Amino acid sequence: MPDIRELDLSDDATAAAVHRIGLAAYTVEAELIGFHGIPALGESLAEMRAADLGWVGAFLGGGAPAGFLAWASEPGGGVSIDRLCVDPAWFRRGVASLLLRHALTELFPGHPVEVTTGAANAPAVALYARMGFTRGPDFSPVPGLTMASFGRAAEGTPWEGGRGSSDLA
């Protein structure tokens, strides 16, 4: 059974593993969406560690994580998923679903959750739809990149658009 636990990025080995997984996963996403300017691809280990995010990892064997999820708390009690990355060696084994399900049910149940992904990233788009997220407006933060916004409302309230909706002019 997979083990999901908080990641301590002050630990050098943990931070290096998370950084490596992020670079590998975003390299695959860059190919999928045809855009190689994803900010995380240029993020240094120090910059990643300095991000004010919560981090959990999925451990499926051995000592290194197979994937991770990072999030930020938003004003008003909402949550913004900053990144959800899986080591390409663990693709198509349910790691992203496991991490997302854990986050929604154990870390922030009852809170509205927002996330964005490359609109052409079919696996991520399908994951968020399958996990009960509603697709909001697409937006283009930079020329050549179209992002899809998704949200999942707190219990009993409608989702009213994501952070991407404010970027539409």
Side-chain angles (χ1 to χ4, degrees):
M1 185 68 170
D3 180 28
I4 296 186
R5 60 182 184 257
E6 185 176 346
L7 295 173
D8 177 6
L9 296 190
S10 68
D11 176 75
D12 290 339
T14 299
V18 168
H19 192 251
R20 178 191 56 76
I21 291 168
L23 289 175
Y26 283 119
T27 297
V28 172
E29 182 175 20
E31 289 298 318
L32 284 173
I33 67 174
F35 181 79
H36 296 272
I38 297 171
L41 285 172
E43 183 179 61
S44 71
L45 179 60
E47 290 167 331
M48 183 196 74
R49 286 174 123 169
D52 187 19
L53 300 170
W55 299 83
V56 292
F59 295 80
L60 302 173
F68 65 85
L69 183 142
W71 72 93
S73 296
E74 298 291 335
V79 174
S80 175
I81 295 175
D82 185 76
R83 53 191 94 186
L84 174 56
C85 297
V86 175
D87 186 323
W90 290 95
F91 278 5
R92 307 184 77 62
R93 297 190 197 182
V95 175
S97 296
L98 180 73
L99 283 162
L100 189 55
R101 189 174 302 109
H102 176 82
L104 295 171
T105 60
E106 302 296 324
L107 299 175
F108 28 85
H111 295 273
V113 180
E114 295 183 348
V115 65
T116 61
T117 189
N121 184 344
V125 168
L127 170 68
Y128 295 123
R130 189 171 61 250
M131 297 296 285
F133 283 77
T134 300
R135 187 163 179 169
D138 288 359
F139 64 101
S140 293
V142 296
L145 175 61
T146 302
M147 299 292 292
S149 64
F150 290 87
R152 187 172 148 141
E155 296 300 318
T157 61
W159 181 63
E160 297 182 8
R163 60 183 169 188
S165 60
S166 64
D167 294 329
L168 294 172

